[in-house]
Amino acid sequence: MKKRFFTLIISLILIIWFGFADGLQITGYVRNYDGVLLNDDMDFSIVQNTLDLNFSMQTSKVGFKVNPYIYQYSDKTTVFDVREAYLDLFFNSFDLRIGKQQIIWGKADGVFITDIISPKDLTEFLLRDFEEIRMGVTAVKFDYYIGDNTFELVWVPVFSATKFPEQGSIWAVTPQFPIQPQFDFSRKDIKPSIKNSEIFAKYSVFSSAIDFEIMGGYTWDADPVIHTLKQIDPFTHQLLSLTAIPEHHRLTVAGGSFSTTLGPVVIRGEGAYYWGKYFQSEDPMLKEGVVEKDYLNYLLGADFTIKGIKFSTQFIQQYILDYDNFIVNNEVNNLMTFLARKDLLSGDTLHLELFSYFGLTDEDGLIRPKISYDITDGVNILLGANIFFGDKGMFGRFNKNDMVYVKIKYSF
Amino acid sequence: MKMKLRNFIILIIAVTFVSGGLFAQKKLTGLEIMKKVYNRPSPKEMEAKLTMTLISSSGSKRVRTIKQFIKDFGKVEKKIMFFLAPADVRNTSFMNWSYDDPNKDDDQWIYLPALKKVKRISSDSKGDYFMGSDFTYDDLGDRNPEEDNHKILRMEKVNGLDCYVIESTPKDEDYMYSKTITWVVKDRWYGVKKDFYDEDGEYLKTLTLKKAENIKGYWIIVTVEMFNKQKNHKTIMHLSDIKIDTGIPSRMFTERMMKRGL
């Protein structure tokens, strides 16, 4: 019996292998990535070796993709995971994708407004390539096509949260409390159930004059808010103990995005309204130190070319409605991004790029110059720097993490 | 501005050309000759595999491979390209819609698999080199002869064929080339050679027709070479697996296909 079972398994593997051998594609890359902090000791910020593989196959009716990857580090445990593993079914007027997948919405570059389905891996802040920042989610995606327009429905049965850096990482952000808190993680996890699933819908129009998307979602906030329970001495009014309880909350989101051309300039916009987002508050009357508010996040951007240099700039505003002064976050956060890129040398083998975030509210930012060279087809070496400035804000808090790095990548 | 099927990297020559005899006795102007080249009949649909070989001054080669589909919908011509190689651009796709209306700019989109997003891009960058080759996006398009002033310089034989040698200077002073000189085969109305001069009037590069094949009654130029003298760099473009008027479905030219790929 055991022998039969073994033979069956081997036969199945061989049938699948030979059946798919013609159409099976194996692609991917190998990369070495080394970064050095610009401090007195020139500490290594990262020494990482990566293998990223894509197994894929596609016919006119069906397809699949599996994307396993390995991050091997010099100073911590090797990470082995699967970014995507899904099955595609293609029909005349609709498609179905089932499985772990990255789902990207919106027209913004480098900021996340309507792009809220795939949670972020922030273990290296925002420094990874964007395909590595976005994590796959287990979902069913249904696309129905009406001419050049698409209706998309996404059901995410199991919630995935933002992945934050481990304690001790140079990218870890320690919440500020008046005394050292005790952490209670009992409310952090969302129990997988139909009731706790997420659903998103989008209608997108693709036309000569304009491309736009209208979206809505009933989701969970991928970033937990930290509730606090305080024990106060009734006589001295001194804080005796503090319990910090991270918790995700339900969020209803509606928004849209567009892109169009105005002469030689591409104009882009994106915005979303979030109902019921939670924020930390210092209001002493609040039982758990959090408050629920509506929240608006929008962007306007332009892409253009001058003398062969491609430019892209974006203005982003985040606004908490019905704000009160106890809320820890700013009422308004203004941010700008700026990108310039130029390809040089015969065959466009040398690439210069400068990407920057400028926090206008906190007067902080991140400047990311890069120079890369295609040694040969598929082999690229990249030298770059990450320069943080400011004293506070999402970039200023990493002011001591300025670094230079090198990446050597072989794609196959 | 509309890009005709015969262009981009190909020059398609109608075999059933009867006008040669009709015009043989008439003295043509430079503009009339270039209009004959521009208005040559062309197929409604084409798909092909395009291989670009980039050859540097040291002789090292880089190869780019693309699968492309083109369809003329009447007032708009749509083209979609799927990048097959090299590995770091595989699964990227590019779509262009070009219009009969000379006042309407092309619409262009690019799908970047790393971003998993279709981005609208400006068609204004026609002076950019296509995938690092010696062809600019403008070289690959179909320039309306009304945009230039044309002058017949002389008659000359190329490969045994009588050719008009036409000098074309742009009406727009900001155009990337100060002039071009085209060798047009008499009575067949296709170019066999074209010299390009940069904005400073210096000789820049030469496009040379290398090979043509007759497919379904059209002469398809399957191999062309662009040699950039200033960079001492060369690109050879070769078309293979050419299929004409096979009934490419309209849905091939959609965002759905850009994302799905081949």
Side-chain angles (χ1 to χ4, degrees):
Chain A
M1 185 69 187
K2 216 172 184 179
K3 195 178 170 186
R4 269 191 190 173
F5 179 73
F6 182 73
T7 310
L8 180 68
I9 293 293
I10 293 293
S11 303
L12 274 174
I13 290 170
L14 288 173
I15 288 165
I16 291 168
W17 176 255
F18 285 111
F20 286 152
D22 281 347
L24 183 69
Q25 278 199 346
I26 303 174
T27 59
Y29 66 84
V30 178
R31 182 185 64 198
N32 173 260
Y33 171 21
D34 306 305
V36 174
L37 290 174
L38 297 177
N39 56 20
D40 291 341
D41 294 334
M42 301 285 280
D43 297 324
F44 285 109
S45 60
I46 188 165
V47 177
Q48 182 198 63
N49 296 298
T50 304
L51 171 65
D52 190 295
L53 289 172
N54 276 298
F55 299 90
S56 61
M57 198 215 69
Q58 189 169 301
T59 68
S60 60
K61 299 286 182 197
V62 68
F64 72 80
K65 178 181 173 185
V66 182
N67 175 205
Y69 64 94
I70 297 170
Y71 290 143
Q72 187 271 324
Y73 296 95
S74 63
D75 58 346
K76 55 183 177 180
T77 313
T78 297
V79 174
F80 172 77
D81 207 343
V82 175
R83 188 169 288 116
E84 292 189 292
Y86 59 75
L87 175 73
D88 276 323
L89 298 171
F90 305 124
F91 299 89
N92 274 344
S93 55
F94 67 93
D95 297 334
L96 264 180
R97 177 168 290 176
I98 304 161
K100 192 174 184 184
Q101 52 192 296
Q102 291 174 314
I103 299 172
I104 314 299
W105 285 3
K107 309 289 185 195
D109 288 337
V111 288
F112 308 87
I113 298 173
T114 62
D115 183 15
I116 54 171
I117 302 179
S118 286
K120 299 183 282 290
D121 182 343
L122 299 179
T123 47
E124 289 168 46
F125 186 50
L126 291 169
L127 304 184
R128 285 185 175 174
D129 293 341
F130 281 108
E131 64 182 320
E132 296 175 87
I133 286 179
R134 290 189 181 89
M135 296 189 289
V137 286
T138 299
V140 179
K141 184 164 75 77
F142 168 79
D143 287 283
Y144 182 73
Y145 304 98
I146 311 140
D148 287 319
N149 307 333
T150 309
F151 173 71
E152 186 166 302
L153 194 64
V154 179
W155 178 53
V156 182
V158 181
F159 167 71
S160 304
T162 303
K163 193 172 175 184
F164 290 102
E166 296 167 354
Q167 284 298 317
S169 161
I170 58 171
W171 306 111
V173 177
T174 310
Q176 298 297 307
F177 295 105
I179 61 171
Q180 180 64 34
Q182 295 289 318
F183 274 90
D184 173 0
F185 293 104
S186 62
R187 282 149 61 177
K188 190 164 184 286
D189 293 332
I190 307 293
K191 186 183 159 194
S193 68
I194 297 288
K195 187 185 163 200
N196 285 336
S197 63
E198 299 172 286
I199 191 144
F200 304 87
K202 180 181 79 166
Y203 187 76
S204 55
V205 171
F206 191 79
S207 73
S208 170
I210 189 169
D211 309 328
F212 68 86
E213 301 176 354
I214 300 166
M215 61 77 69
Y218 182 59
T219 179
W220 292 94
D221 193 339
D223 301 335
V225 65
I226 298 179
H227 293 239
T228 50
L229 284 175
K230 295 172 188 165
Q231 193 178 7
I232 296 170
D233 187 314
F235 301 106
T236 63
H237 298 287
Q238 280 203 326
L239 187 59
L240 297 176
S241 70
L242 188 68
T243 306
I245 313 164
E247 185 177 347
H248 296 277
H249 290 275
R250 274 292 189 186
L251 207 53
T252 305
V253 182
S257 62
F258 74 90
S259 69
T260 187
T261 46
L262 198 64
V265 181
V266 175
I267 306 289
R268 292 181 285 116
E270 185 167 340
Y273 192 92
Y274 301 63
W275 284 271
K277 187 170 171 66
Y278 279 73
F279 297 91
Q280 273 187 271
S281 171
E282 291 168 347
D283 185 348
M285 302 303 288
L286 292 171
K287 192 182 165 195
E288 293 196 353
V290 296
V291 64
E292 183 184 342
K293 297 287 179 186
D294 290 351
Y295 173 74
L296 181 67
N297 191 358
Y298 70 92
L299 163 149
L300 273 174
D303 308 329
F304 50 95
T305 303
I306 299 174
K307 300 274 181 196
I309 305 173
K310 292 182 169 61
F311 293 98
S312 178
T313 184
Q314 302 178 121
F315 171 77
I316 303 108
Q317 186 169 76
Q318 298 159 330
Y319 181 63
I320 302 170
L321 284 90
D322 188 26
Y323 187 79
D324 67 64
N325 290 326
F326 292 111
I327 295 174
V328 173
N329 303 62
N330 295 325
E331 180 181 14
V332 178
N333 248 330
N334 294 329
L335 179 71
M336 285 200 76
T337 67
F338 175 80
L339 170 73
R341 186 181 165 91
K342 171 82 176 165
D343 298 323
L344 297 165
L345 296 184
S346 293
D348 285 351
T349 48
L350 185 69
H351 316 284
L352 305 179
E353 184 183 304
L354 179 70
F355 182 69
S356 311
Y357 291 99
F358 294 104
L360 303 178
T361 307
D362 290 320
E363 297 181 344
D364 64 338
L366 166 61
I367 298 171
R368 306 193 68 190
K370 290 176 190 173
I371 178 168
S372 69
Y373 177 67
D374 300 329
I375 298 166
T376 182
D377 282 343
V379 182
N380 176 273
I381 182 165
L382 185 154
L383 295 168
N386 297 312
I387 310 297
F388 294 87
F389 64 89
D391 301 320
K392 55 180 182 171
M394 76 184 284
F395 304 104
R397 63 193 175 195
F398 297 123
N399 200 358
K400 292 179 180 170
N401 288 0
D402 293 349
M403 66 174 69
V404 291
Y405 62 90
V406 58
K407 290 181 181 179
I408 303 170
K409 185 174 176 181
Y410 169 53
S411 304
F412 54 90
Chain B
M1 187 175 293
K2 180 164 179 173
M3 272 190 281
K4 295 275 187 180
L5 284 175
R6 66 178 182 276
N7 278 294
F8 177 49
I9 32 119
I10 56 163
L11 302 168
I12 297 174
I13 308 149
V15 172
T16 52
F17 206 89
V18 294
S19 57
L22 298 175
F23 291 93
Q25 303 307 316
K26 185 186 168 191
K27 186 161 182 174
L28 295 167
T29 65
L31 177 63
E32 285 169 333
I33 292 166
M34 295 311 279
K35 277 188 172 177
K36 283 179 178 294
V37 176
Y38 183 74
N39 293 322
R40 221 170 33 227
S42 54
K44 292 286 180 196
E45 294 176 359
M46 192 193 75
E47 67 174 271
K49 185 177 172 185
L50 163 66
T51 305
M52 285 197 304
T53 307
L54 284 54
I55 305 169
S56 72
S57 53
S58 64
S60 67
K61 292 181 180 177
R62 292 170 190 257
V63 179
R64 278 97 181 85
T65 316
I66 293 163
K67 179 81 177 179
Q68 64 175 20
F69 299 83
I70 306 171
K71 186 176 177 110
D72 193 342
F73 289 83
K75 290 182 178 175
V76 57
E77 182 190 283
K78 297 182 179 181
K79 174 172 68 183
I80 190 164
M81 305 169 87
F82 300 97
F83 294 68
L84 309 176
D88 51 0
V89 297
R90 189 186 292 123
N91 296 328
T92 299
S93 57
F94 170 82
M95 186 159 69
N96 188 93
W97 294 359
S98 53
Y99 300 91
D100 273 346
D101 182 353
N103 297 314
K104 188 166 170 53
D105 289 332
D106 291 3
D107 293 311
Q108 295 183 340
W109 297 267
I110 190 163
Y111 172 70
L112 301 167
L115 298 179
K116 289 191 163 48
K117 201 185 306 192
V118 173
K119 279 179 72 88
R120 180 184 284 264
I121 55 174
S122 170
S123 61
D124 192 50
S125 310
K126 293 199 165 184
D128 288 358
Y129 286 98
F130 178 69
M131 289 188 83
S133 73
D134 295 289
F135 292 83
T136 64
Y137 283 87
D138 191 77
D139 298 338
L140 303 173
D142 193 11
R143 186 169 171 82
N144 192 318
E146 296 286 357
E147 293 181 77
D148 300 318
N149 294 312
H150 306 277
K151 187 168 74 178
I152 302 173
L153 296 180
R154 59 187 180 274
M155 294 295 293
E156 200 172 291
K157 273 196 187 296
V158 176
N159 299 332
L161 297 169
D162 286 329
C163 293
Y164 291 100
V165 184
I166 312 285
E167 181 184 273
S168 307
T169 49
K171 292 175 183 172
D172 177 4
E173 288 180 358
D174 294 330
Y175 186 55
M176 72 186 84
Y177 303 121
S178 57
K179 69 174 178 184
T180 59
I181 297 175
T182 311
W183 281 254
V184 178
V185 180
K186 189 184 174 189
D187 294 341
R188 294 187 183 178
W189 316 117
Y190 62 87
V192 288
K193 187 179 158 189
K194 187 171 185 177
D195 288 344
F196 299 79
Y197 291 78
D198 67 15
E199 286 172 312
D200 300 324
E202 298 293 322
Y203 167 63
L204 175 64
K205 60 186 183 181
T206 295
L207 175 72
T208 311
L209 187 153
K210 292 288 182 185
K211 187 184 173 192
E213 280 179 17
N214 189 308
I215 302 172
K216 287 195 175 177
Y218 297 99
W219 277 103
I220 312 280
I221 304 305
V222 295
T223 310
V224 288
E225 177 189 290
M226 183 75 92
F227 174 65
N228 189 317
K229 178 76 169 61
Q230 290 184 7
K231 291 182 178 176
N232 197 16
H233 193 270
K234 186 162 67 177
T235 301
I236 297 169
M237 279 194 171
H238 176 70
L239 285 182
S240 57
D241 304 333
I242 302 166
K243 292 171 187 162
I244 284 174
D245 294 338
T246 52
I248 301 170
S250 303
R251 69 180 179 198
M252 175 60 76
F253 306 92
T254 57
E255 183 185 21
R256 177 191 194 183
M257 292 310 296
M258 290 187 79
K259 287 181 176 176
R260 188 202 287 187
L262 291 174

